[in-house]
């Protein structure tokens, strides 16, 4: 082989190495962005999984509350409400990924309204057990409690929809 051919092969080899290195850098630079996106998606999924688990616990807790209501058992209503409050506290204590912080705010606001509805319901039943209860206020009070409960559920549904839109 002559010198010109060796030089050409050497230049081609150096050029091939430079291209391979550049491709490696491009892939390396793009990969952290992909990893960050995957990491963010994993954090979002983990958060929503925790929310789902808490909601399942809350559903069971509210079933127990309804059972106590059906029996007119005020003491057990308070116990079941306190259990539900502990579950709602778990929801409020969750750390949401930054991209879902607005969703977390809606869940917490909805949880606060549910908490208020449960407390108001227990207060109503407690008041009803006293001889001085004014029966004429029952319909208004139950309507206010129902609205508070419905508002809480609506906020949680809005949070679910917002989270689904970000997935």
């Amino acid at each position: 082989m002559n010198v010109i051919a060796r030089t050409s092969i050497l230049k081609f080899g150096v050029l091939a190495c430079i291209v391979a290195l550049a491709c490696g850098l491009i892939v390396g630079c793009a990969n952290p962005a992909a990893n960050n996106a995957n990491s963010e998606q994993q954090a979002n999924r983990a958060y929503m999984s925790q929310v789902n688990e808490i909601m399942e616990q809350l559903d069971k807790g509210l079933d127990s509350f309804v059972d106590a209501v059906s029996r007119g058992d005020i003491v057990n209503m308070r116990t079941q409400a306190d259990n539900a409050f502990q579950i709602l506290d778990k929801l409020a204590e969750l750390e949401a990924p930054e991209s879902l912080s607005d969703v977390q705010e809606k869940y917490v606001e909805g949880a606060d309204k549910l908490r208020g509805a449960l407390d108001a319901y227990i207060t109503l039943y407690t008041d009803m057990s006293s001889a001085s209860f004014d029966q004429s206020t029952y319909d208004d009070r139950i309507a206010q409690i129902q609205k508070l409960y419905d508002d809480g559920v609506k906020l949680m549904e809005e949070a679910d929809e917002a989270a689904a839109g970000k997935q």
Side-chain angles (χ1 to χ4, degrees), residues 9-81:
I9 291 173
L10 185 59
K11 285 181 183 179
F12 180 75
V14 169
L15 181 61
C17 287
I18 291 172
V19 169
L21 183 60
C23 288
L25 288 173
I26 290 171
V27 170
C29 290
N31 209 8
N35 287 340
N36 286 343
N38 287 340
S39 177
E40 184 177 327
Q41 283 181 337
Q42 287 174 341
N44 289 353
R45 284 188 196 116
Y47 167 76
M48 290 309 299
S49 176
Q50 290 174 316
V51 168
N52 187 51
E53 186 177 308
I54 290 169
M55 290 303 174
E56 288 176 8
Q57 292 172 3
L58 181 62
D59 189 44
K60 290 176 186 173
L62 291 177
D63 285 346
S64 297
F65 180 83
V66 169
D67 182 54
V69 169
S70 70
R71 290 181 280 116
D73 184 351
I74 296 172
V75 172
N76 200 18
M77 274 188 242
R78 172 50 59 196
T79 300
Q80 297 309 319

Side-chain angles (χ1 to χ4, degrees), residues 2-167:
N2 65 26
V3 176
I4 295 175
R6 284 186 196 162
T7 306
S8 294
I9 291 173
L10 185 59
K11 285 181 183 179
F12 180 75
V14 169
L15 181 61
C17 287
I18 291 172
V19 169
L21 183 60
C23 288
L25 288 173
I26 290 171
V27 170
C29 290
N31 209 8
N35 287 340
N36 286 343
N38 287 340
S39 177
E40 184 177 327
Q41 283 181 337
Q42 287 174 341
N44 289 353
R45 284 188 196 116
Y47 167 76
M48 290 309 299
S49 176
Q50 290 174 316
V51 168
N52 187 51
E53 186 177 308
I54 290 169
M55 290 303 174
E56 288 176 8
Q57 292 172 3
L58 181 62
D59 189 44
K60 290 176 186 173
L62 291 177
D63 285 346
S64 297
F65 180 83
V66 169
D67 182 54
V69 169
S70 70
R71 290 181 280 116
D73 184 351
I74 296 172
V75 172
N76 200 18
M77 274 188 242
R78 172 50 59 196
T79 300
Q80 297 309 319
D82 288 342
N83 291 341
F85 294 162
Q86 290 175 356
I87 295 167
L88 292 171
D89 288 342
K90 288 181 188 178
L91 181 63
E93 293 167 0
L94 275 182
E95 284 199 35
E98 187 176 324
S99 63
L100 295 176
S101 63
D102 58 329
V103 171
Q104 174 68 5
E105 288 174 18
K106 281 201 183 290
Y107 281 129
V108 170
E109 189 178 346
D112 289 344
K113 290 193 183 282
L114 290 179
R115 184 184 308 268
L118 291 174
D119 269 338
Y121 203 77
I122 293 168
T123 300
L124 174 63
Y125 262 74
T126 302
D127 291 351
M128 287 172 53
S129 66
S130 76
S132 63
F133 178 69
D134 181 3
Q135 187 66 33
S136 66
T137 64
Y138 177 81
D139 289 338
D140 287 338
R141 287 177 69 181
I142 202 75
Q144 290 171 353
I145 293 167
Q146 187 64 51
K147 181 177 179 349
L148 191 58
Y149 178 84
D150 290 344
D151 289 348
V153 169
K154 183 180 178 191
L155 283 165
M156 290 189 170
E157 288 172 348
E158 288 173 5
D160 286 342
E161 290 169 10
K166 294 182 180 197
Q167 295 289 327

